[in-house]
């Protein structure tokens, strides 16, 4: 289990909000003038490559070990169903909460393609749902969806509707973190340590494991992602490309330039 850093900034809801406002997904898109739905439209073009690289991989394996036949599962920020679809093949029913219209449409199509009839899609931000009107579920999942300014209230609501387990999946660090700061002046978004600190302040005892994923991704696709989030300019992408080349980070396979990546992700389990 990882320890919480000693700095006080990682111990308060205020610190989370201030960090999110500076460098969260919504802030990055706003700085670049990119509408959120345009980001999710583009995200669909990256999904196949991300899945081919092994995502969600071990994260999904760990999650599925907690899902029992007959369970009801609440998936907050379900996206296009990377977790909801495999869960629904085991659980009795899945409630998928997703704010993006684009992602809801993809999720509905994926549910139909999988011939599943036990997935209910709710288009909403989690913060806009009334906890008293959300039915408790055996397992509650929230993965990479923490664009929530009032993180304490959001986490408290999740704990309240989780009968047996709450699973939170959020970023720890990645191999380009320091490079993006050094070459492009980009601050990384808030990592899981804020969330862990908030849970402990609420009296919860989170169990945290760091899951590491290594993979190769086409360089130009990675740069395309970075143009949206964290919002690199063309000039910054050019600088990053040259830096990676000079550092020997690039590989060539079948005529395609690839970048090796390492992503560390926190898998947090809470028993409310």
């Amino acid at each position: 289990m990882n320890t919480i850093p000693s700095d006080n900034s990682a111990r308060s809801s205020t610190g989370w909000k201030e960090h999110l406002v500076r460098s969260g997904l919504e802030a990055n898109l706003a700085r670049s003038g990119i509408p959120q739905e345009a980001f999710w439209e583009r995200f669909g073009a990256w999904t196949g490559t991300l899945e081919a690289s092994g995502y969600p991989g071990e994260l999904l394996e760990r999650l599925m070990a907690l899902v029992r036949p007959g369970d009801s599962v609440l998936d907050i920020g379900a996206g296009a169903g990377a977790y909801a679809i495999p869960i629904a093949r085991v659980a009795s029913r899945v409630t998928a909460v997703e704010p993006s219209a684009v992602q809801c449409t993809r999720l509905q199509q994926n549910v139909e393609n999988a011939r599943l009839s036990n997935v209910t899609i709710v288009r909403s931000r989690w913060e806009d749902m009334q906890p008293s009107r959300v039915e408790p579920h055996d397992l509650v999942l929230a993965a990479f969806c923490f664009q929530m300014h009032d993180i304490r209230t959001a986490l408290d609501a999740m704990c309240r509707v989780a009968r047996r387990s709450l699973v939170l999946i959020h970023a720890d660090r990645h191999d380009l973190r320091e490079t993006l700061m050094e070459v492009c002046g980009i601050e990384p978004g808030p990592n899981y340590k804020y969330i862990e600190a908030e849970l402990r302040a609420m009296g919860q005892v989170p169990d945290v494991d760091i899951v590491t994923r290594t993979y190769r991704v086409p360089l130009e696709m990675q740069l395309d992602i970075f143009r949206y989030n964290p919002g690199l300019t063309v000039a910054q992408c050019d600088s990053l490309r040259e830096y990676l080349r000079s550092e020997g980070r690039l590989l060539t396979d079948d005529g395609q330039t690839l970048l090796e990546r390492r992503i560390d992700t926190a898998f947090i389990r809470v028993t409310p």
Side-chain angles (χ1 to χ4, degrees):
M1 181 179 296
N2 288 63
T3 58
I4 302 173
S6 59
D7 61 294
N8 292 330
S9 65
R11 294 179 178 272
S12 70
S13 299
T14 301
W16 165 272
K17 181 178 179 180
E18 290 175 350
H19 197 156
L20 197 67
V21 167
R22 291 196 309 271
S23 57
L25 172 63
E26 292 177 359
N28 292 338
L29 294 177
R31 185 178 62 250
S32 303
I34 300 172
Q36 289 188 44
E37 289 298 89
F39 170 80
W40 293 117
E41 283 280 6
R42 189 60 180 164
F43 190 82
W46 306 324
T47 301
T49 300
L50 294 175
E51 290 175 350
S53 73
Y55 180 81
E58 185 180 344
L59 294 169
L60 178 60
E61 292 173 8
R62 286 174 177 259
L63 178 64
M64 294 307 297
L66 303 176
V67 180
R68 304 171 185 172
D71 273 355
S72 60
V73 179
L74 174 63
D75 185 356
I76 299 168
Y83 296 94
I85 299 297
I87 289 172
R89 294 192 174 106
V90 176
S92 175
R93 59 189 178 87
V94 174
T95 303
V97 178
E98 170 55 47
S100 165
V102 169
Q103 292 288 70
C104 281
T105 298
R106 288 200 182 104
L107 176 56
Q108 182 62 51
Q109 187 61 60
N110 289 337
V111 167
E112 293 173 2
N113 291 344
R115 298 183 178 181
L116 295 168
S117 59
N118 60 340
V119 179
T120 300
I121 301 172
V122 180
R123 186 188 169 196
S124 175
R125 299 192 319 154
W126 175 245
E127 310 93 295
D128 295 336
M129 299 184 69
Q130 294 293 328
S132 61
R133 300 182 64 180
V134 179
E135 181 181 350
H137 289 64
D138 297 304
L139 174 65
V140 176
L141 166 69
F144 300 113
C145 63
F146 296 97
Q147 299 300 311
M148 304 166 181
H149 289 184
D150 188 351
I151 191 65
R152 173 73 67 89
T153 297
L155 291 172
D156 181 68
M158 293 176 195
C159 290
R160 289 177 183 275
V161 297
R163 286 198 191 99
R164 189 177 71 244
S165 292
L166 168 63
V167 173
L168 310 172
I169 299 175
H170 192 58
D172 176 19
R173 59 185 298 117
H174 60 83
D175 59 331
L176 294 180
R177 181 177 183 271
E178 284 74 20
T179 299
L180 287 172
M181 288 192 290
E182 177 183 344
V183 177
C184 304
I186 297 294
E187 178 186 20
N191 70 7
Y192 83 93
K193 292 176 183 177
Y194 287 95
I195 295 173
E196 183 183 9
E198 285 297 332
L199 289 168
R200 292 192 182 280
M202 292 162 53
Q204 301 294 339
V205 184
D207 181 31
V208 181
D209 284 318
I210 301 301
V211 176
T212 298
R213 184 167 67 96
T214 59
Y215 62 98
R216 294 179 177 181
V217 61
L219 173 63
E220 293 309 317
M221 193 195 85
Q222 182 65 83
L223 293 176
D224 189 45
I225 293 174
F226 283 163
R227 288 187 187 99
Y228 283 77
N229 184 38
L232 300 189
T233 65
V234 172
Q236 286 173 322
C237 285
D238 290 341
S239 297
L240 181 58
R241 183 187 294 105
E242 291 308 310
Y243 180 88
L244 294 171
R245 182 175 290 113
S246 68
E247 291 293 307
R249 293 286 306 274
L250 304 181
L251 305 168
T252 301
D253 184 15
D254 197 22
Q256 187 175 43
T257 301
L258 303 176
L259 173 65
E260 285 194 320
R261 296 296 318 274
R262 172 186 169 127
I263 307 291
D264 292 337
T265 302
F267 186 95
I268 307 170
R269 184 182 179 188
V270 179
T271 304

